[in-house]
Amino acid sequence: MSQTVTTLDVNTAPAAGHGTDYIRAKSGIMSWLTTVDHKRIGLMYLASTFTAFLMGGLFALLLRLELLTPKTTIMSANMYNQMFTLHGAVMTFLFIIPSIPGALGNFLLPIMIGAKDVAFPKLNLLSLYLYWIGALFTLSSLITGGIDTGWTFYVPYSSTTTTTSVLSVTFGVFILGFSSILTGLNFIVSIHKLRAPGMGWYKMPLMLWSLYATSVVQILATPVLGITLLLLIAERAFGIGIFDPALGGDPVLYQHFFWFYSHPAVYIMILPGMGIISELIAVHSRRHVFGYKAVAFSSIAIALVGFLVWGHHMFTSGQSEYAAIIFSFLTFIVAIPSGVKVFNWLATLWRGSIAFKTPMLYALSFLILFSIGGLTGIFLGMLSVDLHLHDTYFVVAHFHYVMVGGTVIAFLGGLHHWWPKMTGKMYSEKLGAISCALVFIGFNVTFFSQFVLGSRGMPRRYYNYLDQFQPLHAFSTVGSWILGAGFLLMIIYLVQSLRSGAPAPANPWGGLSLEWTTASPPITENFVRTPVVTKGAYDFNTENA
Ligand code: HEM
Ligand SMILES: [Cu+2]
């Protein structure tokens, strides 16, 4: 059963005149580098962002290895500063922001709305090229002396003091911003203009509402980061005196500009993940999502209220008490729409016929880890508590629970859910479950211990530390090895799946949204003819009745 009035098969079997699947339709590297097919662009984003993840992950393992002992273990203090800066910058700007919209979003969005491609296919390819150019500038610092400012590039250290490669890295991030804006633009116009006949807004999969909300933030917030980085570059290159107190500037102004983007940016990171979770929970429990409209509009609410809380990163910057109280209050407010999602996902699972396939295991892991991340965010939103926890490992643990426990886990769940559709291959469910368990256990061992470290006063970004913190640091480091083993096992069985996996059927999980009506992998044009939508994406009840 599906959203179309026609039977499932009509849109899967390539009819006469239609090419083979999008992977084999054309061959040769140039057919990829010049493609405007959203699916191919999605796959290239997947390969690029996953490479960035592996690079950032390697830096993380080296950081954790250094933290195994309170004194020098494997690297110098300078190297440590450079390593966490690049880890944070690579993971944030090259992996987590572009990964879900660029890879899964590009592959899925046109198919989910019943279209052949996004609204501006050439702009879509340009967004990928801008990503690659931005990545080259950012990573060139690996051979030009590194960067040691922290991923936030705070002034005046970044503008006047450090001798590391601030200009090339910040220029790289500046370019990456345009890649993000173009992706958002394409998604908003495609959703408004290219939905198949019959697909009203409330018939859209919730993944699309999340991508829509993400795109709004990408378009509205990213220009602020662009301007901030241009001013930093001008300050460093020409000493224009906008941030440097010695020249009449204000370094705290930089923090306002930076976080006015970077807090909404955490929603660019988490909203797409939340969209994936709605899909996984509905399909693998065969239940209509509880409170569809509430879940849909909570994405929009998160995107908008998320613009009002940036000051909670600056409670210790000397901002006025009134500003701090308002930012603290608004931070509690922004937690409400996230809570709505979590409770609606739980209500959806209730009495569902849950299939514990790998995607669902990741979805259940997300529910636990994201809740811990979200709740500890409320701790940090509390003025009196944050004064003690700011810049400690409690903060490091909090954002890893939200960004790794949330977004990365959702990304992996989505990757396993749509892998058969993207590649035409099945993977080993047994190895999938083992790897998910290793990731879940390794992650909690690595980062839960850091909540304890932070609450006992262990500062972040410290190369050496007091002996009393060593047992927990060592425990955390061992956790990072288990986490690394889980990711490694996943790479092994997914590569194996590409080489010798069983061919995937069009609809391995029994989903009802449009991507499951196409072939696995889909033909270049996606559909033999434009589908007509008569039912919602989660009408499992109707199907059962
Ligand atoms: C996958 C396993 C990961 C491990 C083991 C890990 C570990 C670490 C460690 C040890 C630090 C440095 C702490 C300090 O000295 O202050 C750090 C910082 C950071 N990590 Fe991760 N991380 C991981 C994944 C991620 C991911 C996926 C992101 C995604 C955005 C991320 C973003 C950051 C950021 C932004 C910082 C702060 C860097 C700074 O202080 O400038 N990490 N991480
Ligand atoms: Cu924030």
Side-chain angles (χ1 to χ4, degrees):
M1 298 293 172
S2 73
Q3 281 190 315
T4 62
V5 293
T6 57
T7 59
L8 185 65
D9 301 343
V10 168
N11 260 316
T12 54
H18 288 283
T20 57
D21 68 63
Y22 77 98
I23 298 172
R24 277 169 279 278
K26 292 192 191 109
S27 60
I29 181 76
M30 285 316 289
S31 78
W32 285 85
L33 292 179
T34 57
T35 185
V36 289
D37 177 354
H38 67 98
K39 299 178 290 301
R40 284 186 163 209
I41 292 173
L43 274 197
M44 290 191 280
Y45 260 114
L46 181 63
S48 309
T49 54
F50 200 73
T51 307
F53 176 71
L54 294 178
M55 192 185 276
L58 178 68
F59 295 156
L61 290 176
L62 292 171
L63 286 169
R64 284 273 24 125
L65 197 52
E66 173 53 41
L67 292 162
L68 193 58
T69 73
K71 301 283 179 276
T72 303
T73 314
I74 55 161
M75 64 178 90
S76 68
N78 261 339
M79 183 51 77
Y80 185 85
N81 292 345
Q82 294 187 18
M83 194 70 74
F84 72 62
T85 302
L86 267 178
H87 163 75
V90 167
M91 281 296 199
T92 305
F93 297 114
L94 294 180
F95 168 64
I96 214 159
I97 288 176
S99 58
I100 302 179
L104 296 177
N106 257 318
F107 183 89
L108 286 168
L109 185 138
I111 305 178
M112 278 182 163
I113 56 176
K116 278 195 171 56
D117 212 306
V118 291
F120 311 115
K122 292 194 183 85
L123 271 190
N124 206 16
L125 182 62
L126 175 63
S127 83
L128 180 61
Y129 274 91
L130 287 170
Y131 172 86
W132 284 336
I133 296 167
L136 281 178
F137 271 95
T138 307
L139 297 174
S140 70
S141 63
L142 287 167
I143 53 171
T144 59
I147 182 169
D148 65 351
T149 60
W151 78 282
T152 52
F153 314 123
Y154 269 17
V155 299
Y157 182 71
S158 62
S159 58
T160 55
T161 318
T162 182
T163 55
T164 56
S165 309
V166 174
L167 291 179
S168 62
V169 174
T170 48
F171 188 65
V173 176
F174 173 73
I175 294 177
L176 287 165
F178 288 97
S179 168
S180 188
I181 292 171
L182 290 180
T183 304
L185 177 75
N186 244 319
F187 286 1
I188 286 182
V189 177
S190 304
I191 288 175
H192 277 280
K193 292 291 178 193
L194 301 180
R195 276 174 289 126
M199 180 174 279
W201 283 83
Y202 300 133
K203 286 208 172 67
M204 287 205 305
L206 286 161
M207 173 86 175
L208 298 182
W209 279 90
S210 287
L211 287 175
Y212 187 86
T214 307
S215 302
V216 170
V217 182
Q218 279 173 308
I219 288 181
L220 293 181
T222 313
V224 178
L225 177 73
I227 296 161
T228 308
L229 294 176
L230 273 188
L231 288 172
L232 171 57
I233 290 169
E235 176 95 350
R236 188 172 168 86
F238 311 115
I240 55 169
I242 185 161
F243 299 131
D244 185 352
L247 300 169
D250 178 2
V252 177
L253 178 65
Y254 173 88
Q255 296 184 25
H256 279 291
F257 282 178
F258 181 84
W259 287 113
F260 186 85
Y261 162 78
S262 297
H263 185 86
V266 302
Y267 299 120
I268 297 176
M269 301 173 198
I270 196 69
L271 275 167
M274 289 170 158
I276 292 176
I277 297 302
S278 292
E279 301 304 321
L280 302 189
I281 286 184
V283 172
H284 295 278
S285 67
R286 308 203 63 67
R287 294 265 292 170
H288 196 294
V289 173
F290 182 89
Y292 173 99
K293 285 185 181 165
V295 176
F297 284 113
S298 65
S299 296
I300 306 293
I302 289 172
L304 298 180
V305 183
F307 275 94
L308 308 175
V309 298
W310 78 90
H312 66 213
H313 294 272
M314 300 164 59
F315 284 153
T316 63
S317 70
Q319 69 180 190
S320 83
E321 274 173 21
Y322 300 104
I325 290 166
I326 293 169
F327 281 124
S328 172
F329 175 71
L330 290 167
T331 301
F332 301 147
I333 299 289
V334 82
I336 297 171
S338 302
V340 164
K341 283 183 186 288
V342 171
F343 285 110
N344 283 24
W345 288 324
L346 291 172
T348 306
L349 284 169
W350 178 249
R351 295 211 175 117
S353 47
I354 300 175
F356 290 98
K357 299 278 182 194
T358 306
M360 183 53 119
L361 296 178
Y362 278 107
L364 298 174
S365 306
F366 174 97
L367 285 180
I368 298 166
L369 302 175
F370 175 71
S371 299
I372 295 172
L375 289 172
T376 50
I378 295 178
F379 288 34
L380 295 167
M382 276 293 289
L383 271 176
S384 50
V385 177
D386 186 66
L387 289 182
H388 298 286
L389 296 176
H390 185 70
D391 268 358
T392 71
Y393 262 82
F394 194 96
V395 175
V396 176
H398 160 70
F399 68 65
H400 283 94
Y401 263 86
V402 183
M403 294 201 286
V404 184
T407 303
V408 173
I409 293 288
F411 173 68
L412 297 180
L415 187 65
H416 285 83
H417 185 65
W418 287 293
W419 182 266
K421 185 55 61 184
M422 296 168 91
T423 65
K425 300 277 184 165
M426 299 304 287
Y427 52 83
S428 157
E429 269 300 322
K430 192 162 161 243
L431 293 178
I434 296 170
S435 151
C436 182
L438 285 171
V439 166
F440 185 82
I441 296 166
F443 175 82
N444 280 301
V445 173
T446 309
F447 291 105
F448 205 88
S449 48
Q450 295 181 10
F451 281 127
V452 183
L453 280 167
S455 64
R456 293 182 182 167
M458 169 71 203
R460 64 184 289 192
R461 294 177 172 167
Y462 267 47
Y463 168 68
N464 286 348
Y465 53 83
L466 300 173
D467 291 350
Q468 69 207 64
F469 293 128
Q470 193 195 8
L472 279 170
H473 263 306
F475 186 69
S476 179
T477 297
V478 171
S480 71
W481 298 339
I482 303 171
L483 185 56
F487 289 136
L488 187 62
L489 177 59
M490 183 192 76
I491 294 168
I492 291 170
Y493 69 73
L494 288 182
V495 170
Q496 197 183 29
S497 143
L498 288 179
R499 298 163 71 112
S500 57
N507 194 356
W509 321 118
L512 296 181
S513 42
L514 286 178
E515 76 272 26
W516 304 114
T517 70
T518 64
S520 294
I523 58 175
T524 303
E525 303 82 355
N526 297 341
F527 303 96
V528 176
R529 67 166 142 251
T530 303
V532 177
V533 177
T534 57
K535 284 194 277 193
Y538 314 113
D539 286 353
F540 293 104
N541 315 7
T542 323
E543 184 217 8
N544 295 339

